[in-house]
Amino acid sequence: MFSGRLGADESHCQDLQNLSVSKRLVRSVSQRLRKKNNRNAADEDDDVNGVSLRCLNLYGRGGGCKVGADTSDDFGDSSSRRRSSASDEGKGYKPICGPEETAVDCFSYGVKDRFWRRYNRKNSELEEFLTNNRMHIFLPDDILEMCLVRLPLTSLMNARLVCKKWRSLTTTPRFLQMRREGSYQSPWLFLFGAVKDGFCSGEIHALDVSLNQWHRIDAHFLRGRFLFSVAGIHDDIFIVGGCSSLTNFGKVDRSSYRTHRGVLVFSPLTKSWRKMPYMKYARSNPILGVSEVSLDFPTCQSHQSRQDRRFPRSRIGGVSDVYEDPHKLSLRRHCRSSFNETEASSLPSRKAYKFLRQKSDHSSSKGSKRFLLIAVGGLGSWDEPLDSGEIYDSVSNKWTEIPRLPFDFGVARSGIVCGRMFYVYSETDKLAAYDVERGFWIAIQATPIPPRVHEYYPILVSSNGRLFMLCVSWCEGDGQIGQRNKAVRKLWEFDLTYLTWTEASVHPDAPMDWSAVFLSDKNLIFGVEMFKIFGRVLSFFTVCDVSDIGNWNHISGNHVTHELDGSSCLTKSVAVLHL
């Protein structure tokens, strides 16, 4: 019996030794598989942050595989092979680590999807981080400034909406000076005086000539004002004088109105408005001229006598030579108003002083250029034609009176600066020139006088130092019997040496607009015509290059004036700028 029990103990010990050997064998095999899987993972790693999703460690804290292993026939009996719950036969997953004959599936059901979702989330966070880093890469200010200064004006306005930094960078005086001196500008036409449903809407219609695109700008400062004149100076537009109704605000009403002395400045680049010093006299539709002078140009002095300063002489109305004012009421009233204005300007408030200082800084930011703005003629407060004139100096920032127009000159209808002379043409076909440097008028006897239809006023323009005039005249019927005469608009050039007029070209459009506007900019002459026909307001915009004076081209038409009233044809005014 004892020998039988001893034999049973020996067989039991032998089973334990076999079991320990099998454990050691499994452990060594697992270690080899783990090393092999690590090498394969290094070669076939996924794209997710360099982390392998292929295999887990076979042993946990307590030893043994977390999920279970599928080994080949070389490492055990095929009948006793354990299959994991995530085997390809059980759940349809293919082996993801090792070859098929030594496959070890380390994922239970649903674990793989959870791991993929987690690492995909990390991958998306990494991509978002990298994208944000790329977006926050900042260019130096000087390089960014060089890029922005080359944009067209429309793109530049859109770029200012990106961030505060870009907006502040593109509105500095240095940036504006760089854009002004560079060759990145294109001509823009600004149409003022739009009337809708009888009201002065105050809208400004801007035409980008290079792209042939219209833009609308809201100008609440001009609501209710009409019959003003505009002039483009550098990057700004000066709005001078004008009228406004006293009874029906905003309407074009000439029965009861007020004439203004105020001057406004609009900057298209910054879309800002500012007020300038008042003129000496209220004017509507004054004749304007702009002259650029050097910084050492002498300050304009008044060449009038005390008698001329007493009251602005007019063609009709005013103080009579026979029935003179015995008590000098007009003189005392004028002196009192002048004294009040002088006293108010000599004692500015803190806010007014800050505003004036900003204006002087703005004028100095235009570089070393100094300009003079001349205003002559127009209609006064009592709708009387004026023959007085005044000049604005950008350095002194004030208006100064200049001598009156020559005697018996007539009502001034058009004017332009050519060289150092301000030429003015009257409705009586007389030509006079104001010498800006010496400060006096010169009557010019020009021959022959261009024939014209007197219902159409002549228009003076200047381009590249050449003086032109556009007027409407009758054209013969080419000698054909029964052919009716027709009215055409002709362009005449004035010879500054021999003082003669010569016909240069003929405008292609029929003169349908009694108040057409023609203006020049560098070597280009622009024409704006608006008229009402069949209940609609039509418009034609033309341009001519003085190098090819006989070639007129249409640049835009019938895109902006359909919704305007017919009175817009009389109240319109146009300015041109290079922006």
Side-chain angles (χ1 to χ4, degrees):
M1 177 185 285
F2 180 76
S3 60
R5 184 179 300 173
L6 183 60
D9 291 339
E10 289 179 358
S11 61
H12 192 59
C13 290
Q14 186 175 1
D15 292 338
L16 289 176
Q17 290 179 0
N18 293 336
L19 182 62
S20 62
V21 170
S22 62
K23 286 184 178 181
R24 286 195 300 271
L25 178 61
V26 171
R27 187 179 296 109
S28 62
V29 170
S30 299
Q31 290 177 357
R32 292 180 183 178
L33 287 176
R34 186 169 54 196
K35 292 179 181 179
K36 184 177 181 180
N37 290 334
N38 290 335
R39 286 196 300 270
N40 293 334
D43 297 334
E44 302 177 1
D45 196 5
D46 291 336
D47 297 333
V48 187
N49 300 329
V51 179
S52 175
L53 301 179
R54 295 180 178 274
C55 184
L56 299 175
N57 292 334
L58 293 177
Y59 288 91
R61 294 181 180 177
C65 182
K66 291 182 177 179
V67 179
D70 226 359
T71 57
S72 61
D73 296 337
D74 298 335
F75 303 109
D77 188 10
S78 59
S79 61
S80 62
R81 182 184 304 170
R82 294 190 301 165
R83 294 189 178 272
S84 67
S85 60
S87 63
D88 50 342
E89 294 182 1
K91 298 300 176 182
Y93 288 108
K94 294 182 179 181
I96 60 171
C97 61
E100 281 191 28
E101 60 272 10
T102 59
V104 178
D105 190 356
C106 301
F107 292 103
S108 62
Y109 178 72
V111 176
K112 177 181 176 181
D113 293 337
R114 195 157 49 246
F115 272 90
W116 275 108
R117 285 196 299 268
R118 185 181 67 180
Y119 286 111
N120 283 337
R121 184 173 64 252
K122 291 183 178 180
N123 190 21
S124 61
E125 292 176 357
L126 178 62
E127 290 179 354
E128 184 179 359
F129 175 75
L130 295 176
T131 304
N132 292 335
N133 285 342
R134 295 190 194 102
M135 291 176 60
H136 289 83
I137 294 177
F138 294 102
L139 291 174
D141 289 347
D142 52 351
I143 298 179
L144 182 61
E145 196 175 40
M146 293 175 63
C147 297
L148 294 175
V149 78
R150 288 166 167 81
L151 292 177
L153 181 59
T154 306
S155 302
L156 181 62
M157 292 299 180
N158 295 331
R160 288 176 179 171
L161 303 177
V162 173
C163 60
K164 293 182 178 179
K165 179 180 179 180
W166 283 24
R167 180 176 179 83
S168 61
L169 187 64
T170 55
T171 54
T172 58
R174 179 176 178 270
F175 181 86
L176 299 179
Q177 183 69 18
M178 289 174 56
R179 187 173 179 85
R180 192 181 306 113
E181 294 176 353
S183 58
Y184 321 113
Q185 299 175 331
S186 60
W188 281 68
L189 284 178
F190 294 88
L191 177 63
F192 294 80
V195 180
K196 293 181 179 180
D197 300 328
F199 288 88
C200 302
S201 61
E203 291 181 349
I204 304 175
H205 299 274
L207 172 64
D208 186 354
V209 178
S210 60
L211 300 179
N212 194 17
Q213 293 181 354
W214 281 99
H215 304 271
R216 185 176 301 175
I217 305 172
D218 186 19
H220 60 277
F221 285 96
L222 299 179
R223 289 177 182 173
R225 182 176 293 193
F226 56 93
L227 295 181
F228 50 83
S229 299
V230 297
I233 304 176
H234 298 157
D235 299 333
D236 300 329
I237 300 177
F238 282 66
I239 297 96
V240 182
C243 301
S244 60
S245 177
L246 295 176
T247 56
N248 298 321
F249 178 76
K251 278 198 170 186
V252 183
D253 184 11
R254 297 299 301 270
S255 60
S256 176
Y257 62 93
R258 173 193 174 191
T259 307
H260 297 278
R261 298 186 298 119
V263 180
L264 298 174
V265 180
F266 171 63
S267 178
L269 286 178
T270 58
K271 290 186 179 181
S272 60
W273 292 83
R274 67 182 188 274
K275 294 182 179 180
M276 302 299 289
Y278 285 81
M279 294 186 295
K280 299 293 182 180
Y281 307 110
R283 303 173 187 270
S284 62
N285 280 337
I287 309 301
L288 301 182
V290 180
S291 177
E292 292 190 2
V293 296
S294 59
L295 290 176
D296 55 354
F297 185 80
T299 305
C300 297
Q301 301 293 337
S302 176
H303 299 276
Q304 291 181 319
S305 62
R306 292 185 178 181
Q307 184 178 0
D308 288 339
R309 291 184 182 181
R310 180 180 62 186
F311 198 80
R313 189 176 75 224
S314 62
R315 294 301 178 191
I316 55 176
V319 180
S320 172
D321 295 336
V322 179
Y323 301 99
E324 192 176 9
D325 188 1
H327 301 286
K328 307 295 183 183
L329 293 177
S330 60
L331 175 62
R332 286 187 289 175
R333 188 185 303 113
H334 178 63
C335 292
R336 190 186 304 117
S337 61
S338 301
F339 174 76
N340 293 335
E341 292 178 3
T342 306
E343 184 179 5
S345 61
S346 61
L347 298 174
S349 62
R350 182 182 300 271
K351 185 176 180 180
Y353 173 75
K354 183 178 180 181
F355 182 69
L356 292 175
R357 184 176 60 182
Q358 290 176 354
K359 289 191 295 185
S360 63
D361 293 342
H362 181 80
S363 61
S364 62
S365 67
K366 297 297 182 182
S368 60
K369 294 182 180 180
R370 175 185 179 186
F371 68 88
L372 304 176
L373 177 61
I374 309 171
V376 174
L379 300 179
S381 300
W382 302 97
D383 207 17
E384 76 278 10
L386 301 176
D387 64 349
S388 61
E390 43 194 313
I391 188 169
Y392 169 78
D393 190 352
S394 62
V395 173
S396 62
N397 195 31
K398 65 180 182 179
W399 290 88
T400 308
E401 295 183 52
I402 62 174
R404 300 178 183 274
L405 291 168
F407 185 71
D408 292 337
F409 180 74
V411 179
R413 292 301 179 185
S414 179
I416 196 66
V417 172
C418 183
R420 294 299 181 187
M421 308 293 286
F422 176 49
Y423 293 90
V424 179
Y425 202 90
S426 70
E427 63 180 8
T428 58
D429 295 324
K430 292 183 179 180
L431 182 64
Y434 177 74
D435 194 325
V436 178
E437 293 182 350
R438 291 180 284 184
F440 58 83
W441 288 94
I442 303 173
I444 300 176
Q445 300 295 331
T447 57
I449 298 176
R452 68 180 183 89
V453 180
H454 288 274
E455 287 78 8
Y456 294 86
Y457 296 136
I459 305 171
L460 293 179
V461 293
S462 174
S463 178
N464 287 349
R466 301 164 64 181
L467 182 63
F468 299 93
M469 182 178 66
L470 290 106
C471 59
V472 177
S473 59
W474 293 106
C475 181
E476 298 296 334
D478 298 332
Q480 299 180 8
I481 300 176
Q483 182 75 22
R484 296 182 58 184
N485 295 341
K486 61 179 181 179
V488 294
R489 196 183 301 274
K490 295 183 179 181
L491 180 66
W492 297 78
E493 183 175 1
F494 184 67
D495 193 334
L496 300 176
T497 303
Y498 298 100
L499 305 181
T500 57
W501 290 101
T502 306
E503 182 179 340
S505 66
V506 178
H507 195 272
D509 296 332
M512 301 291 292
D513 188 3
W514 300 82
S515 304
V517 178
F518 287 85
L519 65 165
S520 56
D521 181 72
K522 297 183 179 180
N523 62 325
L524 301 176
I525 299 177
F526 296 93
V528 179
E529 297 180 83
M530 295 171 52
F531 56 92
K532 186 175 182 179
I533 185 172
F534 302 123
R536 301 181 66 180
V537 177
L538 303 181
S539 61
F540 294 96
F541 295 82
T542 53
V543 63
C544 174
D545 195 334
V546 294
S547 60
D548 188 10
I549 198 65
N551 187 16
W552 288 86
N553 298 315
H554 290 84
I555 54 177
S556 179
N558 305 338
H559 292 88
V560 68
T561 59
H562 287 333
E563 56 187 7
L564 303 183
D565 292 352
S567 56
S568 301
C569 304
L570 300 176
T571 60
K572 69 177 179 297
S573 54
V574 184
V576 58
L577 294 177
H578 264 72
L579 300 175

